[in-house]
Amino acid sequence: MDARTHETTTFVGGQIFTADPMRPHAHSITMRGDTILALDGVPSGAIVDLQGRFLCPAFLDAHLHLTLGAATLAQCDLAGCTTRAAFEARIAAHARSLDESGDHDAWLIAFGWNESDWRGEVPTRAWLAAAGNRRPTVAWRMDQHACVVNDAALATLDTSPLAGGEIEQDTGTFREQAAWKRVIPAIPEPSPAAKRANLVKACAYLHSLGLAGGGSMEYLRDIRDVYVPTLDRLTFRVRATILDRDWPLDSPPVIPAETRAGHPFFEVVGMKSFADGTLGSRTAWMLEPYTDAPRTVGLAMEHTLRGELASWIRAVQALGLSPSVHAIGDRAARVLLDACDANADHPAPRLEHMQTLSHADIPRLAGRFASMQPLHKADDARQALARLGHTRIARFFAFRELLAYGARLAFGSDWPIVSPDPLLGIKAAVTGLDLDGKPFATEHSISVAEALLAYTRTAAEMLGFPGGILRAGRAADLVLLDRSPFEIDWTCETPRIEATIVGGRTVFTRGPILRHSH
C-alpha cells in the first residue's frame, strides 16, 4: 500500500513504539500526506489494521558510505571467505564475468576480506593471480583502510613513502593514506550516470532493511555529479558529511548552495577528518602498544598528525557545519576530546567510532554524540583480545558505561564495511555475540529499547532528520516488523521487515500485508 494514495491514513491494531520519552507507546497513529497528524486520536481516513505487528520509527543509519556501498553492488564481494581457496575462487569468477561482459581492460575491484574469517595470514598479491597477469586488481580489507594489489596494478602506482601511510611492495599491501592517496586515484572512476544508477539500487536495498535515511560520508565530486542531479528523485533521506580534507583551514571548499537549503531528502551537514586508522590494520592510535605487535601504537593521521585538529574543528563550525572525526584508538579519542574541549559545542561535533576509550575519558562524552557501529564490535571481537589484551577489553565498545555517563549513542553500520542491516546491529548491541555467535564483553550490552533509540531518535537528533520519532508534526517515516523486538530471544532470532514508509510513501513491502478495514 502506498500511504500517499490517501490524504489521511490511520494505523491501528498493532504495537506502536514511538521513541518519544513523553509517550513511548501508542495504540494508533494517523498520518496525512508525508506528516504524522496524531497519536491515539480519532481514527480517520483509510484505516489500516496492523494485525498485531510492530510499528516504530523507520531506522536511520548514523554512519555509512552510500555511493561507496552502491559501487560494491557490482564488485567482487570477499566477505565470508573462510579459506584462501574460497578467496581465489571468487576472484577468478569475477574476472570471468568481466571478460564475458567485454570489460577486458577494466580493473577488478574486490572488497570485504577479513583475515579473521580464516584465522590465518593476510592476503598478498599472490592471492590475486586468478585475476590474470594483465588485469589490474585491488582487494580491499573489510575496513577499507588497507588493500592488496596485483603486479599489474602495482606497476601503475607511486610507491614512494608518505606520512600516515604504509607500503609493502613485496606483498602488494597499501595501508591508510597510502591506500587512499596512491591506490584510489589510480582506479578509473565509474561515470556519473553509472553512479546514479547504482545509487537508485542501493536506496531500494536499504529500504528493504527498514532504513529511511542515513548520515553518508561523501566526496564533493559525488555530491555535485551524483546527488544534485537526482535531488527530486531521492527516496532515501541523506545527511551528507564531506570527505574532502585537503583544503587550507582559511579557505574551505565551496559547497553547492542547493545542498544547504534544507532539502527534505538531501542536505550537507558536516565535514570529516581521520584522527587514526583501524584496529584490524593495527593503525588505530593507542595509548599503549598493541599486545600482539609491541613495537607499534598505530598511526595518527591528517589534522591530528599535523597538530591542527582543534583549528580544523573551529573552521568547520564557522561554516555552520558539524565536525565529524574518526577515532578508534584510545589515544586518538583523547586527542579528539581535547580538541572538542577547546572549541564550541555547536554545531555539535560527532565522535565517530570511539571503540576503545580510557576509563578516564568515558565521562568526558557526557552530552556528546558518540556515533558507533555495533557490528564493528561483533566483527572486531574476534581479534580484539589478541590486539588489546584483557585490560583494554573492559573499555572496548563500552555502550553501557557511555550511556550511564550521559553519552548520546547514535548507531550506524559504516556500510559497506559491514552489513547495513540495523536488525543485525541491534542483535550485536543487545546480545554481545560476535560474528561467530560467541559471547564477547557482554557486560557492555544494552537493552532493546536503548538500541532502538540509537537507530532512531538519537540518530535523528545528531543529523537533523525529520523522522526518528513518532510525534505529531514529524515526518511519516515508519517501519513495520512482523513481531515485537521486545518479545523475542535475540540470540537466536530477529524480527522481519514487513514494510518501510518514508514521507508517507511505502518504499518497500513484502506484499499486500497492510489490510484495510472500514
Side-chain angles (χ1 to χ4, degrees):
M1 184 204 83
D2 188 333
R4 291 196 305 190
T5 60
H6 300 277
E7 182 180 358
T8 303
T9 303
T10 300
F11 298 94
V12 299
Q15 302 179 66
I16 300 175
F17 176 75
T18 68
D20 185 343
M22 303 303 294
R23 179 190 282 179
H25 304 279
H27 298 289
S28 70
I29 180 170
T30 302
M31 63 184 185
R32 177 175 294 164
D34 61 2
T35 305
I36 296 172
L37 183 64
L39 297 176
D40 293 335
V42 176
S44 58
I47 310 301
V48 179
D49 184 359
L50 298 176
Q51 299 181 324
R53 289 183 279 262
F54 184 90
L55 191 71
C56 70
F59 300 126
L60 299 166
D61 190 313
H63 181 134
L64 77 166
H65 301 258
L66 186 49
T67 54
L68 180 63
T72 65
L73 298 178
Q75 294 173 0
C76 177
D77 186 357
L78 299 172
C81 288
T82 57
T83 64
R84 174 174 175 172
F87 181 110
E88 293 175 327
R90 291 194 196 180
I91 293 291
H94 200 75
R96 286 194 299 272
S97 70
L98 290 174
D99 287 337
E100 291 166 1
S101 67
D103 290 335
H104 300 290
D105 298 322
W107 279 59
L108 190 159
I109 304 172
F111 72 98
W113 62 264
N114 186 345
E115 68 274 23
S116 294
D117 288 336
W118 54 80
R119 303 290 199 281
E121 62 180 323
V122 174
T124 68
R125 56 193 176 94
W127 291 41
L128 303 177
N133 296 326
R134 298 176 58 185
R135 184 186 300 281
T137 300
V138 56
W140 290 93
R141 191 179 188 278
M142 51 79 61
D143 58 13
Q144 295 277 325
H145 283 246
C147 65
V148 59
V149 302
N150 69 350
D151 289 345
L154 192 61
T156 70
L157 300 175
D158 178 357
T159 57
S160 60
L162 77 169
E166 298 174 345
I167 299 173
E168 297 176 2
Q169 292 194 55
D170 57 335
T171 64
T173 301
F174 289 68
R175 297 188 186 91
E176 303 300 345
Q177 298 293 309
W180 300 340
K181 294 187 176 181
R182 297 289 167 75
V183 179
I184 288 178
I187 301 172
E189 278 271 305
S191 69
K195 286 186 175 184
R196 291 193 288 269
N198 288 337
L199 179 66
V200 171
K201 296 175 184 176
C203 291
Y205 169 57
L206 295 172
H207 288 321
S208 74
L209 302 177
L211 287 157
S216 191
M217 308 295 165
E218 301 288 352
Y219 288 101
L220 269 170
R221 66 177 182 273
D222 289 328
I223 289 174
R224 297 189 187 103
D225 298 340
V226 179
Y227 286 100
V228 169
T230 60
L231 285 180
D232 294 332
R233 301 195 300 276
L234 282 175
T235 61
F236 187 80
R237 300 190 193 273
V238 177
R239 295 296 178 263
T241 294
I242 295 173
L243 281 169
D244 302 72
R245 304 180 292 279
D246 291 332
W247 47 270
L249 297 187
D250 59 353
S251 182
V254 176
I255 302 171
E258 57 266 52
T259 69
R260 296 292 308 278
H263 191 283
F265 280 86
F266 189 88
E267 184 176 354
V268 172
V269 297
M271 290 184 167
K272 186 174 182 181
S273 181
F274 285 78
D276 68 344
T278 68
L279 181 70
S281 297
R282 293 191 190 87
T283 51
W285 197 27
M286 308 301 299
L287 291 168
E288 299 174 354
Y290 283 86
T291 302
D292 59 353
R295 294 186 178 181
T296 183
V297 293
L299 297 172
M301 296 184 186
E302 300 181 356
H303 303 98
T304 301
L305 177 64
R306 298 191 291 268
E308 58 185 31
L309 183 58
S311 298
W312 177 84
I313 289 175
R314 193 172 305 116
V316 173
Q317 289 178 320
L319 299 173
L321 295 172
S322 165
S324 169
V325 183
H326 167 119
I328 286 181
D330 50 12
R331 179 172 292 191
R334 176 167 293 176
V335 171
L336 171 55
L337 289 166
D338 289 344
C340 289
D341 286 345
N343 284 286
D345 292 331
H346 300 287
R350 285 171 283 144
L351 315 182
E352 304 289 348
H353 309 306
M354 306 304 279
Q355 291 184 189
T356 309
L357 295 162
S358 164
H359 283 302
D361 289 329
I362 290 176
R364 300 176 67 190
L365 274 81
R368 286 174 164 148
F369 287 113
S371 175
M372 303 181 73
Q373 300 76 37
L375 272 183
H376 280 336
K377 175 177 183 271
D379 181 52
D380 283 352
R382 299 177 297 173
Q383 56 194 354
L385 188 59
R387 295 280 196 275
L388 302 177
H390 288 281
T391 301
R392 283 182 285 198
I393 297 303
R395 43 192 175 85
F396 180 69
F397 282 93
F399 298 137
R400 177 153 301 286
E401 192 172 0
L402 284 166
L403 285 174
Y405 277 103
R408 304 168 76 181
L409 296 190
F411 282 166
S413 65
D414 210 7
W415 185 59
I417 310 306
V418 295
S419 168
D421 188 342
L423 295 179
L424 294 181
I426 292 172
K427 177 179 179 177
V430 169
T431 66
L433 297 179
D434 68 14
L435 292 188
D436 295 330
K438 299 176 182 178
F440 181 81
T442 56
E443 67 273 17
H444 300 317
S445 297
I446 59 177
S447 70
V448 172
E450 289 165 335
L452 282 173
L453 293 177
Y455 274 111
T456 55
R457 188 180 78 206
T458 310
E461 292 169 348
M462 184 178 79
L463 292 163
F465 283 106
I469 187 172
L470 304 187
R471 179 187 289 169
R474 297 296 289 257
D477 295 352
L478 316 170
V479 63
L480 181 65
L481 308 181
D482 67 338
R483 50 199 154 146
S484 171
F486 296 105
E487 299 173 0
I488 65 171
D489 180 356
W490 280 88
T491 64
C492 58
E493 58 183 329
T494 58
R496 188 176 77 164
I497 304 296
E498 297 283 272
T500 306
I501 297 171
V502 181
R505 176 186 176 192
T506 302
V507 293
F508 169 77
T509 181
R510 292 192 181 277
I513 57 175
L514 303 181
R515 300 177 183 176
H516 295 250
S517 61
H518 300 280

